[in-house]
Coordinates of all heavy atoms in Angstrom, one line a residue:
I24 N -1.8 -12.4 7.9 CA -1.5 -12.4 6.5 C -0.5 -11.3 6.2 O 0.5 -11.5 5.6 CB -2.8 -12.2 5.7 CG1 -3.7 -13.4 5.7 CG2 -2.4 -11.8 4.2 CD1 -5.1 -13.2 5.2
F25 N -0.8 -10.0 6.7 CA 0.0 -8.9 6.4 C 1.3 -8.9 7.1 O 2.3 -8.4 6.6 CB -0.8 -7.6 6.6 CG -1.8 -7.4 5.5 CD1 -3.2 -7.6 5.8 CD2 -1.5 -7.0 4.3 CE1 -4.1 -7.4 4.8 CE2 -2.4 -6.8 3.3 CZ -3.7 -7.0 3.6
T26 N 1.3 -9.5 8.3 CA 2.6 -9.6 9.0 C 3.5 -10.6 8.3 O 4.7 -10.3 8.2 CB 2.4 -10.2 10.5 OG1 1.5 -9.2 11.2 CG2 3.7 -10.3 11.2
S27 N 3.0 -11.6 7.8 CA 3.8 -12.6 7.0 C 4.4 -12.0 5.7 O 5.4 -12.5 5.2 CB 3.0 -13.9 6.7 OG 2.0 -13.6 5.7
Q28 N 3.7 -11.0 5.2 CA 4.1 -10.4 3.9 C 5.1 -9.2 4.2 O 5.6 -8.6 3.2 CB 2.9 -9.9 3.2 CG 2.0 -10.9 2.7 CD 2.7 -11.9 1.8 OE1 3.3 -11.5 0.8 NE2 2.6 -13.2 2.1
K29 N 5.4 -8.9 5.5 CA 6.3 -7.9 5.8 C 5.9 -6.5 5.2 O 6.7 -5.8 4.7 CB 7.7 -8.2 5.5 CG 8.3 -9.4 6.2 CD 9.7 -9.7 5.8 CE 10.3 -10.7 6.7 NZ 9.5 -11.9 7.1
I30 N 4.6 -6.2 5.3 CA 4.0 -5.0 4.7 C 3.6 -4.1 5.9 O 3.0 -4.6 6.9 CB 2.8 -5.3 3.8 CG1 3.2 -6.0 2.6 CG2 2.0 -4.1 3.5 CD1 2.1 -6.6 1.7
A31 N 3.9 -2.8 5.8 CA 3.5 -1.9 6.8 C 2.0 -1.7 6.7 O 1.5 -1.3 5.6 CB 4.3 -0.6 6.7
Y32 N 1.2 -1.9 7.7 CA -0.2 -1.8 7.6 C -0.8 -1.3 8.9 O -0.2 -1.3 10.0 CB -0.8 -3.1 7.2 CG -0.7 -4.2 8.3 CD1 -1.8 -4.4 9.2 CD2 0.4 -4.9 8.5 CE1 -1.8 -5.3 10.2 CE2 0.5 -5.8 9.6 CZ -0.6 -6.0 10.4 OH -0.5 -6.9 11.4
N33 N -2.1 -0.8 8.8 CA -2.9 -0.5 10.0 C -4.3 -1.0 9.7 O -4.8 -0.8 8.6 CB -2.8 1.0 10.1 CG -3.7 1.5 11.3 OD1 -3.5 1.0 12.5 ND2 -4.7 2.3 11.1
I34 N -4.9 -1.6 10.8 CA -6.2 -2.1 10.6 C -7.1 -1.3 11.6 O -6.9 -1.3 12.8 CB -6.3 -3.6 10.9 CG1 -5.5 -4.4 9.9 CG2 -7.8 -4.1 10.9 CD1 -5.5 -5.9 10.2
E35 N -8.2 -0.8 11.1 CA -9.3 -0.2 11.9 C -10.5 -1.1 11.9 O -10.8 -1.7 10.8 CB -9.7 1.2 11.3 CG -8.6 2.2 11.3 CD -8.6 3.1 12.5 OE1 -9.4 2.8 13.4 OE2 -7.7 4.0 12.6
R36 N -11.1 -1.3 13.0 CA -12.3 -2.2 13.1 C -13.5 -1.5 13.6 O -13.4 -0.6 14.4 CB -12.0 -3.4 14.0 CG -11.8 -3.1 15.4 CD -11.3 -4.2 16.2 NE -9.8 -4.4 16.0 CZ -9.1 -5.4 16.4 NH1 -9.7 -6.5 17.0 NH2 -7.8 -5.5 16.3
F37 N -14.7 -1.8 13.0 CA -15.9 -1.1 13.4 C -17.0 -2.2 13.4 O -17.1 -3.0 12.5 CB -16.3 0.0 12.4 CG -15.3 1.1 12.3 CD1 -14.2 1.1 11.4 CD2 -15.4 2.2 13.2 CE1 -13.3 2.1 11.4 CE2 -14.5 3.2 13.2 CZ -13.4 3.2 12.3
V38 N -17.9 -2.0 14.4 CA -19.1 -2.8 14.4 C -20.3 -2.0 13.9 O -21.4 -2.5 13.8 CB -19.4 -3.4 15.8 CG1 -18.4 -4.3 16.3 CG2 -19.6 -2.2 16.8
S39 N -20.1 -0.7 13.6 CA -21.1 0.2 13.1 C -20.7 0.8 11.8 O -19.7 1.4 11.7 CB -21.4 1.3 14.2 OG -22.1 2.4 13.6
A40 N -21.6 0.6 10.8 CA -21.3 1.2 9.5 C -21.2 2.7 9.5 O -20.4 3.4 9.0 CB -22.3 0.7 8.5
N41 N -22.2 3.3 10.3 CA -22.2 4.8 10.4 C -21.0 5.3 11.1 O -20.4 6.4 10.7 CB -23.5 5.2 11.0 CG -24.7 5.1 10.2 OD1 -24.6 5.2 8.9 ND2 -25.9 4.8 10.8
E42 N -20.6 4.6 12.1 CA -19.4 5.0 12.9 C -18.2 4.9 12.0 O -17.3 5.8 12.0 CB -19.2 4.1 14.1 CG -18.0 4.5 15.0 CD -17.8 3.6 16.2 OE1 -18.7 2.8 16.4 OE2 -16.8 3.7 16.8
M43 N -18.1 3.9 11.1 CA -17.0 3.8 10.2 C -17.0 5.0 9.3 O -15.9 5.6 9.1 CB -17.1 2.5 9.4 CG -16.2 2.3 8.3 SD -16.4 0.8 7.3 CE -15.6 1.3 5.8
L44 N -18.1 5.3 8.7 CA -18.1 6.4 7.7 C -17.7 7.8 8.4 O -17.1 8.6 7.8 CB -19.5 6.6 7.2 CG -20.0 5.5 6.2 CD1 -21.5 5.6 5.9 CD2 -19.1 5.5 4.9
E45 N -18.0 7.9 9.7 CA -17.7 9.2 10.4 C -16.3 9.3 10.8 O -15.8 10.4 11.0 CB -18.6 9.3 11.6 CG -20.1 9.5 11.3 CD -20.9 9.4 12.6 OE1 -20.4 9.2 13.7 OE2 -22.2 9.6 12.5
N46 N -15.6 8.1 10.9 CA -14.3 8.1 11.5 C -13.1 7.8 10.5 O -11.9 8.1 10.9 CB -14.2 7.2 12.6 CG -15.0 7.7 13.8 OD1 -14.5 8.5 14.6 ND2 -16.2 7.2 14.0
I47 N -13.3 7.3 9.4 CA -12.2 6.9 8.5 C -11.8 8.2 7.7 O -12.6 8.9 7.2 CB -12.5 5.7 7.6 CG1 -13.7 6.0 6.7 CG2 -12.6 4.5 8.4 CD1 -13.9 4.9 5.6
S48 N -10.5 8.4 7.7 CA -9.9 9.5 6.9 C -9.1 9.0 5.7 O -8.7 9.7 4.8 CB -9.1 10.4 7.7 OG -8.0 9.7 8.4
S49 N -8.8 7.7 5.8 CA -8.0 7.0 4.7 C -8.3 5.6 4.7 O -8.4 4.9 5.7 CB -6.5 7.3 5.0 OG -5.7 6.6 4.0
I50 N -8.4 5.0 3.5 CA -8.7 3.6 3.3 C -8.2 3.1 2.0 O -8.5 3.7 1.0 CB -10.2 3.3 3.5 CG1 -10.5 1.8 3.3 CG2 -11.0 4.2 2.6 CD1 -11.9 1.4 3.6
D51 N -7.4 2.0 2.0 CA -7.0 1.3 0.8 C -7.8 0.1 0.5 O -8.1 -0.2 -0.6 CB -5.5 1.0 0.9 CG -4.6 2.2 1.1 OD1 -4.7 3.1 0.2 OD2 -3.9 2.3 2.1
I52 N -8.1 -0.7 1.6 CA -8.8 -1.9 1.5 C -10.0 -1.9 2.5 O -9.7 -1.6 3.7 CB -7.9 -3.1 1.8 CG1 -6.8 -3.2 0.8 CG2 -8.8 -4.4 1.7 CD1 -5.7 -4.3 1.1
G53 N -11.2 -2.2 2.0 CA -12.3 -2.3 2.9 C -12.8 -3.7 2.9 O -13.1 -4.3 1.9
I54 N -12.9 -4.3 4.1 CA -13.5 -5.6 4.3 C -14.9 -5.4 5.0 O -14.9 -5.1 6.1 CB -12.6 -6.5 5.2 CG1 -11.2 -6.4 4.8 CG2 -13.1 -8.0 5.1 CD1 -10.8 -7.0 3.4
L55 N -16.0 -5.6 4.2 CA -17.3 -5.3 4.7 C -18.2 -6.5 4.7 O -18.3 -7.2 3.8 CB -17.9 -4.2 3.8 CG -17.0 -3.0 3.5 CD1 -17.8 -2.1 2.5 CD2 -16.6 -2.2 4.7
D56 N -18.9 -6.6 5.8 CA -20.0 -7.6 5.9 C -21.2 -7.1 5.1 O -21.5 -5.9 5.2 CB -20.4 -7.9 7.4 CG -21.5 -8.9 7.5 OD1 -21.5 -9.9 6.7 OD2 -22.3 -8.8 8.4
I57 N -21.9 -7.9 4.4 CA -23.0 -7.5 3.6 C -24.2 -7.3 4.5 O -24.9 -6.3 4.4 CB -23.3 -8.5 2.5 CG1 -22.2 -8.4 1.4 CG2 -24.7 -8.1 1.8 CD1 -22.5 -9.3 0.2
S58 N -24.5 -8.3 5.4 CA -25.7 -8.3 6.1 C -25.5 -7.6 7.5 O -25.2 -8.3 8.5 CB -26.2 -9.7 6.3 OG -27.5 -9.8 7.0
M59 N -25.7 -6.3 7.5 CA -25.7 -5.6 8.8 C -27.0 -4.8 8.9 O -27.5 -4.2 8.0 CB -24.5 -4.6 8.8 CG -23.1 -5.3 8.7 SD -21.7 -4.1 9.0 CE -21.7 -3.3 7.4
E60 N -27.5 -4.7 10.2 CA -28.8 -4.1 10.4 C -28.8 -2.6 10.2 O -29.7 -2.1 9.6 CB -29.3 -4.5 11.8 CG -29.6 -6.0 12.0 CD -30.2 -6.3 13.3 OE1 -30.4 -5.3 14.1 OE2 -30.3 -7.5 13.7
E61 N -27.8 -1.9 10.7 CA -27.7 -0.5 10.7 C -27.7 0.1 9.3 O -28.4 1.0 8.9 CB -26.5 0.0 11.5 CG -26.5 1.5 11.6 CD -25.2 1.9 12.4 OE1 -24.1 1.8 11.9 OE2 -25.4 2.3 13.6
L62 N -26.8 -0.5 8.5 CA -26.6 -0.1 7.1 C -26.0 -1.3 6.4 O -24.8 -1.6 6.8 CB -25.7 1.2 7.0 CG -25.5 1.7 5.6 CD1 -26.8 2.3 5.0 CD2 -24.4 2.8 5.6
N63 N -26.6 -1.9 5.4 CA -26.0 -3.1 4.8 C -24.8 -2.7 4.0 O -24.5 -1.6 3.6 CB -27.1 -3.8 4.0 CG -27.3 -3.2 2.6 OD1 -26.5 -2.9 1.9 ND2 -28.6 -3.0 2.4
G64 N -24.0 -3.8 3.9 CA -22.6 -3.6 3.3 C -22.6 -3.0 1.9 O -21.7 -2.3 1.5
I65 N -23.7 -3.3 1.1 CA -23.7 -2.8 -0.3 C -23.9 -1.3 -0.3 O -23.2 -0.6 -1.0 CB -24.9 -3.5 -1.0 CG1 -24.6 -5.0 -1.2 CG2 -25.0 -2.9 -2.4 CD1 -25.7 -5.8 -1.8
K66 N -24.8 -0.8 0.6 CA -25.0 0.6 0.7 C -23.8 1.3 1.3 O -23.4 2.4 0.9 CB -26.2 0.9 1.5 CG -27.6 0.5 0.9 CD -28.8 0.9 1.8 CE -30.1 0.5 1.1 NZ -31.2 0.7 1.9
L67 N -23.2 0.6 2.3 CA -22.0 1.2 2.9 C -20.9 1.3 1.8 O -20.1 2.3 1.7 CB -21.5 0.3 4.0 CG -20.1 0.6 4.7 CD1 -20.1 2.0 5.2 CD2 -19.8 -0.4 5.8
G68 N -20.7 0.2 1.0 CA -19.7 0.2 -0.1 C -19.9 1.4 -1.0 O -18.9 2.0 -1.5
R69 N -21.1 1.7 -1.4 CA -21.4 2.8 -2.3 C -20.9 4.1 -1.7 O -20.3 4.9 -2.4 CB -22.9 2.9 -2.6 CG -23.4 1.8 -3.5 CD -24.8 2.2 -4.1 NE -25.5 1.1 -4.6 CZ -26.5 0.5 -4.0 NH1 -26.9 0.9 -2.8 NH2 -27.1 -0.5 -4.5
K70 N -21.2 4.3 -0.4 CA -20.8 5.5 0.3 C -19.3 5.6 0.4 O -18.7 6.7 0.2 CB -21.4 5.6 1.7 CG -23.0 5.8 1.6 CD -23.5 5.9 3.0 CE -25.0 6.1 3.0 NZ -25.4 7.5 2.5
V71 N -18.6 4.5 0.7 CA -17.2 4.5 0.8 C -16.5 4.8 -0.6 O -15.6 5.6 -0.7 CB -16.7 3.1 1.3 CG1 -15.2 3.0 1.2 CG2 -17.1 2.9 2.7
K72 N -17.1 4.2 -1.6 CA -16.6 4.5 -3.0 C -16.7 5.9 -3.4 O -15.9 6.5 -4.1 CB -17.3 3.6 -4.0 CG -16.8 2.2 -4.1 CD -15.6 2.1 -5.0 CE -15.2 0.7 -5.4 NZ -14.1 0.6 -6.3
E73 N -17.8 6.5 -3.0 CA -18.0 8.0 -3.3 C -16.9 8.8 -2.7 O -16.4 9.8 -3.3 CB -19.4 8.4 -2.8 CG -20.5 7.9 -3.6 CD -21.9 8.3 -2.9 OE1 -21.9 9.0 -1.9 OE2 -22.9 7.8 -3.4
K74 N -16.5 8.5 -1.4 CA -15.5 9.2 -0.7 C -14.1 8.8 -1.1 O -13.2 9.7 -1.1 CB -15.7 9.1 0.8 CG -15.0 10.0 1.7 CD -15.4 9.9 3.1 CE -14.6 10.9 4.0 NZ -15.0 10.7 5.4
F75 N -13.9 7.6 -1.3 CA -12.5 7.0 -1.6 C -12.6 6.2 -2.9 O -12.7 5.0 -2.9 CB -12.0 6.2 -0.5 CG -12.0 6.9 0.8 CD1 -13.0 6.7 1.8 CD2 -11.0 7.8 1.2 CE1 -13.0 7.3 3.0 CE2 -10.9 8.4 2.4 CZ -12.0 8.2 3.3
P76 N -12.6 6.8 -4.1 CA -12.9 6.1 -5.4 C -11.9 4.9 -5.6 O -12.3 4.0 -6.3 CB -12.7 7.2 -6.4 CG -13.0 8.5 -5.7 CD -12.4 8.2 -4.3
N77 N -10.7 5.0 -5.1 CA -9.7 4.0 -5.4 C -9.7 2.8 -4.4 O -8.8 1.9 -4.6 CB -8.3 4.6 -5.5 CG -8.2 5.7 -6.6 OD1 -8.7 5.5 -7.7 ND2 -7.5 6.8 -6.3
V78 N -10.6 2.8 -3.5 CA -10.6 1.8 -2.5 C -10.9 0.4 -3.1 O -11.7 0.4 -4.1 CB -11.6 2.1 -1.4 CG1 -13.0 2.1 -1.9 CG2 -11.4 1.1 -0.2
K79 N -10.3 -0.6 -2.6 CA -10.6 -2.0 -3.0 C -11.5 -2.6 -2.0 O -11.2 -2.6 -0.8 CB -9.4 -2.8 -3.2 CG -8.4 -2.3 -4.2 CD -9.0 -2.4 -5.6 CE -7.9 -1.9 -6.7 NZ -8.5 -1.9 -8.0
L80 N -12.7 -3.1 -2.4 CA -13.7 -3.6 -1.4 C -13.8 -5.2 -1.5 O -13.9 -5.7 -2.6 CB -15.1 -3.0 -1.7 CG -15.2 -1.5 -1.5 CD1 -16.6 -1.1 -1.8 CD2 -14.8 -1.1 -0.1
V81 N -13.7 -5.8 -0.4 CA -13.9 -7.3 -0.3 C -15.1 -7.5 0.6 O -15.1 -7.0 1.8 CB -12.7 -8.0 0.2 CG1 -12.9 -9.5 0.4 CG2 -11.5 -7.7 -0.7
Y82 N -16.1 -8.2 0.2 CA -17.3 -8.5 1.0 C -17.2 -9.9 1.6 O -16.8 -10.8 1.0 CB -18.5 -8.3 0.1 CG -18.9 -6.9 -0.1 CD1 -18.4 -6.2 -1.2 CD2 -19.7 -6.2 0.8 CE1 -18.7 -4.9 -1.4 CE2 -20.0 -4.8 0.7 CZ -19.5 -4.2 -0.5 OH -19.8 -2.9 -0.6
I83 N -17.7 -9.9 2.8 CA -17.9 -11.2 3.5 C -19.4 -11.4 3.7 O -20.1 -10.5 4.2 CB -17.1 -11.4 4.7 CG1 -17.3 -10.1 5.7 CG2 -15.6 -11.5 4.4 CD1 -16.5 -10.2 7.0
T84 N -19.9 -12.6 3.5 CA -21.4 -12.8 3.6 C -21.7 -14.3 3.9 O -20.9 -15.2 3.6 CB -22.1 -12.4 2.3 OG1 -23.5 -12.6 2.5 CG2 -21.5 -13.2 1.1
S85 N -22.8 -14.5 4.6 CA -23.3 -15.8 4.8 C -24.3 -16.2 3.7 O -24.8 -17.3 3.7 CB -24.0 -15.9 6.1 OG -23.1 -15.6 7.2
Y86 N -24.6 -15.2 2.8 CA -25.6 -15.5 1.8 C -25.1 -15.3 0.4 O -24.8 -14.2 -0.1 CB -26.8 -14.5 2.0 CG -27.3 -14.5 3.4 CD1 -26.9 -13.5 4.4 CD2 -28.2 -15.4 3.8 CE1 -27.4 -13.5 5.7 CE2 -28.7 -15.5 5.1 CZ -28.3 -14.5 6.0 OH -28.8 -14.5 7.3
E87 N -24.8 -16.4 -0.3 CA -24.2 -16.4 -1.6 C -25.0 -15.6 -2.6 O -24.5 -15.1 -3.6 CB -23.9 -17.8 -2.1 CG -22.8 -18.5 -1.3 CD -22.3 -19.8 -2.0 OE1 -22.1 -19.7 -3.2 OE2 -22.3 -20.8 -1.3

Side-chain angles (χ1 to χ4, degrees):
I24 291 166
F25 286 104
T26 300
S27 70
Q28 295 301 305
K29 295 180 169 44
I30 291 171
Y32 70 95
N33 177 59
I34 298 179
E35 298 267 3
R36 66 189 81 191
F37 297 93
V38 294
S39 162
N41 287 328
E42 184 182 350
M43 171 183 161
L44 288 172
E45 291 172 2
N46 287 279
I47 58 172
S48 58
S49 178
I50 176 172
D51 298 304
I52 301 172
I54 314 291
L55 311 178
D56 181 35
I57 291 181
S58 182
M59 294 187 288
E60 292 185 6
E61 185 180 75
L62 181 68
N63 74 52
I65 296 175
K66 292 180 180 178
L67 173 60
R69 289 197 196 102
K70 291 180 180 293
V71 172
K72 278 277 191 180
E73 287 173 5
K74 192 174 181 181
F75 306 98
N77 296 321
V78 66
K79 299 295 184 182
L80 297 177
V81 176
Y82 282 92
I83 50 179
T84 179
S85 300
Y86 307 99
E87 289 192 50

